[in-house]
Amino acid sequence: AQTVTQSQPEMSVQEAETVTLSCTYDTSESDYYLFWYKQPPSRQMILVIRQEAYKQQNATENRFSVNFQKAAKSFSLKISDSQLGDAAMYFCAYRIANNDMRFGAGTRLTVKP
Amino acid sequence: DAGVIQSPRHEVTEMGQEVTLRCKPISGHNSLFWYRQTMMRGLELLIYFNNNVPIDDSGMPEDRFSAKMPNASFSTLKIQPSEPRDSAVYFCASSFTSPGANVLTFGAGSRLTVL
């Protein structure tokens, strides 16, 4: 079974600083997709970034980037120039094409002004 | 597009009552998912459909839970009878079924409280 592990229940960062959230996963598949979702207090699940496993280049979306290490089965999220609006729960997720999406337990990010 | 639409947003009911949660996926999406979120268990997949057909319902907790998708634009999750331990936020999500990094788009969730 595929599992997703987020080992940091909580993280905090100073506004304008950089923070990295960790995620590891377990799979025997070679073709899959990885995602980071953000859940603010409104509880809406919002896609932050996605990565195809067959792509070696790390995905980037503005201040958000990932460090994808396929051999190590690691998929961390880096948030640069943190803003107060980045405060939320962050979920790492794994999906094989057309199957269900599996989520980690989440990391609660606090941004200090 | 209005996104994934869920109703009701909040439901408070008494133990033993029937609860029906509703979901309208994004037009054109042909996969639909029901998740449950609790503090203790996080986000759990309950069931998902491809082209209106249930593919995996192994996450449905017990026979009190049932889900249907009578057409491409509507799905229901029913709990009968409800119990206090069913209190949670229930999310519906939809996506395309095609090769590629298919993102799940989530609804706003239905917060259920069973007294």
Side-chain angles (χ1 to χ4, degrees):
Chain A
Q2 296 85 19
T3 59
V4 180
T5 302
Q6 294 179 249
S7 59
Q8 307 154 315
E10 296 183 353
M11 292 283 284
S12 67
V13 63
Q14 204 70 35
E15 193 176 6
E17 297 296 307
T18 295
V19 65
T20 298
L21 308 184
S22 301
C23 174
T24 59
Y25 57 93
D26 184 27
T27 184
S28 57
E29 302 289 334
S30 59
D31 192 15
Y32 51 88
Y33 307 93
L34 298 164
F35 307 83
W36 280 96
Y37 278 83
K38 167 184 177 181
Q39 187 179 40
S42 67
R43 82 171 181 239
Q44 179 71 51
M45 293 286 285
I46 303 165
L47 176 71
V48 175
I49 199 166
R50 61 182 165 184
Q51 173 84 41
E52 293 89 341
Y54 64 84
K55 290 186 177 178
Q56 293 187 344
Q57 185 172 7
N58 290 322
T60 299
E61 288 287 341
N62 300 315
R63 298 182 295 106
F64 299 86
S65 62
V66 299
N67 183 4
F68 174 47
Q69 302 289 328
K70 191 172 185 178
K73 298 180 182 176
S74 170
F75 182 61
S76 60
L77 174 69
K78 186 171 81 171
I79 306 173
S80 304
D81 185 24
S82 298
Q83 301 175 359
L84 295 178
D86 295 334
M89 283 288 288
Y90 285 82
F91 293 95
C92 178
Y94 163 100
R95 188 181 190 194
I96 304 173
N98 301 331
N99 285 340
D100 62 290
M101 187 175 285
R102 301 285 172 164
F103 289 85
T107 297
R108 182 174 301 281
L109 178 66
T110 301
V111 181
K112 299 177 181 178
Chain B
D1 199 316
V4 176
I5 307 297
Q6 289 188 246
S7 64
R9 288 294 310 275
H10 304 276
E11 173 103 4
V12 180
T13 191
E14 294 190 345
M15 183 174 60
Q17 296 299 304
E18 177 178 294
V19 173
T20 299
L21 307 179
R22 298 173 177 80
C23 176
K24 176 179 168 55
I26 290 175
S27 178
H29 282 188
N30 52 358
S31 290
L32 184 138
F33 304 78
W34 283 101
Y35 285 87
R36 178 172 68 176
Q37 186 178 32
T38 60
M39 288 291 291
M40 292 296 295
R41 301 175 67 89
L43 272 162
E44 304 173 275
L45 177 74
L46 299 177
I47 185 171
Y48 78 98
F49 298 83
N50 281 349
N51 297 312
N52 311 340
V53 176
I55 303 301
D56 183 356
D57 65 355
S58 60
M60 296 286 263
E62 47 198 274
D63 292 344
R64 297 185 298 106
F65 286 69
S66 63
K68 294 182 180 180
M69 192 164 187
N71 57 61
S73 59
F74 184 66
S75 177
T76 59
L77 177 68
K78 187 173 293 186
I79 309 172
Q80 167 62 22
S82 58
E83 297 182 2
R85 60 190 167 127
D86 302 330
S87 297
V89 179
Y90 291 81
F91 285 100
C92 176
S94 69
S95 79
F96 290 110
T97 301
S98 64
N102 297 316
V103 173
L104 264 61
T105 302
F106 284 78
S110 294
R111 180 179 293 279
L112 173 65
T113 302
V114 183
L115 303 175

